[in-house]
Amino acid sequence: MNRRSFVRYAAVAALLPREVAAVLRAQGQEGHKRLLQLNAYALDAETPLDLLTGYITPNDLLFIRSHYVAPRIDPASWTLTIDGAVSRSMRLTLGDLQKLPRTDTTCVLQCAGNGRSLFTPHLAGVQWRHGAVGNARWTGVRVKEVLDRAGLRSGAHHLHTFGSDIPPGQVPPFHRSLEMEKVLQDAIIAYAMNGEPLSHDHGAPARLVVPGWAGDHWMKWLRQIVPSRRPQTGFYMDTAYRYPLLPGKPGQAFKTEEMRPLTALFVKSTITSAPTHAPVGMPLTIRGFAFSGAPDIVRVEITDDDGKTWTPADLDHQHDPYAWRLWSWTWTPQAAGIRQIAVRATDSRGGVQPREPAWNQSGYLHNGWHSTRIEVTA
Ligand SMILES: Nc1nc2c(c(=O)[nH]1)N[C@H]1C(S)=C(S)[C@@H](COP(=O)(O)O)O[C@H]1N2
Ligand SMILES: [Mo]
């Protein structure tokens, strides 16, 4: 199935009464009153930016991106299977997992499609604006701990991952894989988020956390991991979640072989609070967050003259590798008029946020400058 026929299928699937009923039921139970839901099937909801001003995104405010209706899993009977290129296949219960050495990591979860609605020309797919992102503290077990116990065989350069969600009809399953090198570095099988058991919509009882990598790698409702020599095949590896090897012109359609699987996030900063009107001579503060696929943000800068000059914003003291960095900038307008204020971030690998995002036909990883308009009155 190619992307276009898949999108058409998904549109038809959205009309199926059974699926719609299931979504409505799920919403009634979960009650996401403060998220902005973007579609009818499954649950895709982003967070309004003015609620993303804290270092940690509260559990009920973290965006939700599910391809299909979320499965309900009984944690008491849940198991995680580890087989494939290992010397001992294993099946772990949640209790087994929780007895293994525990690790905590605070990092950003961002959907690859965050900002898709901002691309020109317009693109099919969930019309995310800025809020398919959050920063949370994840608790669980390093995937390496589990693979060490199973006896990882050499040559297994990929980890195939499987969740428990079931697609409707002929829609392909959300089966994925990621490079073993990254998995062994810092990927986690998380069972808690911000000190609470993982919620249903966020992948209970356990999900993958891949610091610095886009959300599509963070398999929810994890049920099986399979070390393998080759990457997984299928729609969600060969067609979706691919990114052009070389930049192209807006509107250009790349062939599968001209793209690679999308991995690390791009450097990005977002304004979360700014006044729309301000009087001359009164200090005002603009705030936001910045993050990257590199572990740290070293600089956030503001321009009020379309990028000719930049002044540094203040970085908040809180930071962890691959977490977001809150920033603020206080400014006293000196003259009346309309001012356009834009922000850009620089990461610890020297990546600088570009004015325009790189074009790609799926609308992934939009990271163009974010700006806000302030009317200064005399
Ligand atoms: N099993 C499963 N895992 C999944 C998905 C899914 O649809 N099914 N969506 C992925 C995508 S595209 C993203 S962006 C993140 C979103 O995680 P969240 O819903 O906890 O924010 O989960 C990922 N893991
Ligand atoms: Mo995503």
Side-chain angles (χ1 to χ4, degrees):
M1 199 184 281
N2 62 26
R3 185 171 179 91
R4 185 173 296 163
S5 61
F6 171 66
V7 166
R8 205 178 297 133
Y9 186 90
V12 173
L15 300 173
L16 297 177
R18 187 170 55 91
E19 304 296 354
V20 170
V23 169
L24 292 178
R25 241 191 345 268
Q27 285 163 1
Q29 281 157 16
E30 303 288 326
H32 299 284
K33 294 197 177 67
R34 299 168 74 195
L35 297 185
L36 302 170
Q37 196 190 336
L38 295 181
N39 72 344
Y41 177 94
L43 185 53
D44 293 330
E46 71 173 72
T47 316
L49 282 180
D50 60 342
L51 298 178
L52 290 177
T53 50
Y55 184 60
I56 296 292
T57 307
N59 289 9
D60 59 348
L61 290 182
L62 185 76
F63 82 97
I64 297 162
R65 197 303 182 231
S66 296
H67 287 77
Y68 318 122
V69 170
R72 293 226 168 239
I73 298 166
D74 174 10
S77 56
W78 175 84
T79 58
L80 175 66
T81 301
I82 303 103
D83 53 15
V86 291
S87 13
R88 291 172 296 280
S89 293
M90 300 196 320
R91 185 167 281 192
L92 301 176
T93 63
L94 190 55
D96 295 335
L97 201 63
Q98 288 171 341
K99 281 189 208 101
L100 294 178
R102 210 179 97 161
T103 187
D104 284 301
T105 187
T106 299
C107 65
V108 163
L109 168 55
Q110 185 191 226
C111 180
N114 193 27
R116 177 179 293 123
S117 67
L118 311 171
F119 276 94
T120 326
H122 284 300
L123 292 161
V126 182
Q127 296 299 298
W128 301 113
R129 290 175 52 77
H130 301 279
V133 61
N135 192 53
R137 183 155 174 265
W138 309 95
T139 303
V141 177
R142 280 178 183 279
V143 183
K144 185 175 186 304
E145 291 283 350
V146 173
L147 294 179
D148 282 349
R149 283 167 176 75
L152 179 62
R153 295 229 182 93
S154 65
H157 296 304
H158 301 269
L159 184 70
H160 296 199
T161 59
F162 301 89
S164 300
D165 42 348
I166 298 167
Q170 301 301 308
V171 174
F174 186 71
H175 291 168
R176 306 271 302 151
S177 66
L178 57 166
E179 281 99 343
M180 191 61 84
E181 196 187 339
K182 173 66 179 174
V183 171
L184 296 178
Q185 257 167 30
D186 55 7
I188 291 171
I189 301 166
Y191 45 75
M193 176 182 156
N194 298 332
E196 284 174 26
L198 218 54
S199 76
H200 171 58
D201 282 316
H202 293 298
R207 77 174 307 163
L208 219 54
V209 165
V210 190
W213 281 26
D216 48 285
H217 294 280
W218 299 39
M219 185 63 72
K220 300 196 277 189
W221 312 291
L222 194 64
R223 67 173 165 83
Q224 190 179 12
I225 54 175
V226 184
S228 304
R229 286 186 167 274
R230 313 225 164 276
Q232 179 116 249
T233 55
F235 179 81
Y236 286 102
M237 293 302 295
D238 303 328
T239 304
Y241 298 118
R242 294 181 81 85
Y243 197 82
L245 292 163
L246 298 168
K249 293 203 175 63
Q252 184 172 334
F254 294 92
K255 299 193 188 76
T256 295
E257 59 277 15
E258 293 170 333
M259 300 188 287
R260 58 165 175 85
L262 183 136
T263 55
L265 297 171
F266 294 164
V267 62
K268 178 171 182 178
S269 52
T270 303
I271 298 166
T272 54
S273 62
T276 53
H277 294 79
V280 164
M282 285 270 285
L284 62 88
T285 301
I286 297 177
R287 295 172 199 285
F289 56 77
F291 62 91
S292 182
D296 291 302
I297 289 294
V298 294
R299 202 156 45 246
V300 173
E301 297 162 291
I302 309 283
T303 182
D304 68 349
D305 56 11
D306 199 35
K308 285 195 234 10
T309 57
W310 295 89
T311 55
D314 292 322
L315 300 183
D316 187 70
H317 69 279
Q318 298 177 89
H319 72 117
D320 292 276
Y322 304 105
W324 70 27
R325 195 82 188 247
L326 298 179
W327 56 264
S328 63
W329 183 68
T330 299
W331 174 60
T332 306
Q334 301 300 332
I338 305 282
R339 308 298 283 272
Q340 194 73 23
I341 309 285
V343 59
R344 75 172 180 198
T346 302
D347 70 27
S348 52
R349 292 186 191 134
V352 183
Q353 189 176 351
R355 177 193 287 264
E356 295 294 336
W359 163 261
N360 65 100
Q361 71 227 47
S362 299
Y364 295 136
L365 299 184
H366 186 292
N367 71 334
W369 297 349
H370 191 201
S371 65
T372 188
R373 180 182 181 276
I374 302 178
E375 191 175 334
V376 180
T377 46

